[in-house]
Each structure stands twice: as C-alpha cells, then as structure tokens.
Amino acid sequence: MNQIKRADIRSGMSVAIVLKEDQASGKLTDGIVRDILTKSPLHPHGIKVRLMSREVGRVKKIY
C-alpha cells in the first residue's frame, strides 16, 4: 500500500480528501490544504487535513 506521509503535504497544496460522511462510498472531494490536523508522520487511514473551504477529511491523492 502506497501511503501518503505527513511530510509530503504542505499548506496550499491541491489534494483530494474523503470526508467522514463519504467514507463508506469513497467519494473524493478536491480542495486546497489549509491546515494539517494529524500530528503523527503516518496514519493508516490517511493524514487528516482542513481545506480552505473548511471541510475536514483524510488525504487520498496529491495533485
């Protein structure tokens, strides 16, 4: 499994996240990273971030 590391994510990057309510369907939401919320370098479900739109989810793709 190719995990995204916290060190790979920076504020201002374009990413795709999965929101909490979309975890079952796997629907992705695109946006720009505002804050990185996960403190650990890795997380099994993805690094949690807040987008500029204030949505919170786990990073699944970096563009």
Side-chain angles (χ1 to χ4, degrees), residues 9 15-21 23 29 33 35-38 45-51 54-60:
I9 303 169
V15 297
I17 65 169
V18 64
L19 301 171
K20 182 80 171 176
E21 59 268 20
Q23 283 178 345
T29 302
V33 176
D35 303 306
I36 302 171
L37 304 177
T38 300
H45 301 295
I47 302 298
K48 190 179 278 189
V49 298
R50 179 179 295 118
L51 301 180
R54 307 267 183 189
E55 295 170 300
V56 175
R58 296 194 181 271
V59 175
K60 297 300 176 185

Side-chain angles (χ1 to χ4, degrees), residues 19-34:
L19 301 171
K20 182 80 171 176
E21 59 268 20
D22 295 332
Q23 283 178 345
S25 67
K27 178 181 170 244
L28 297 178
T29 302
D30 294 340
I32 307 293
V33 176
R34 177 185 180 99

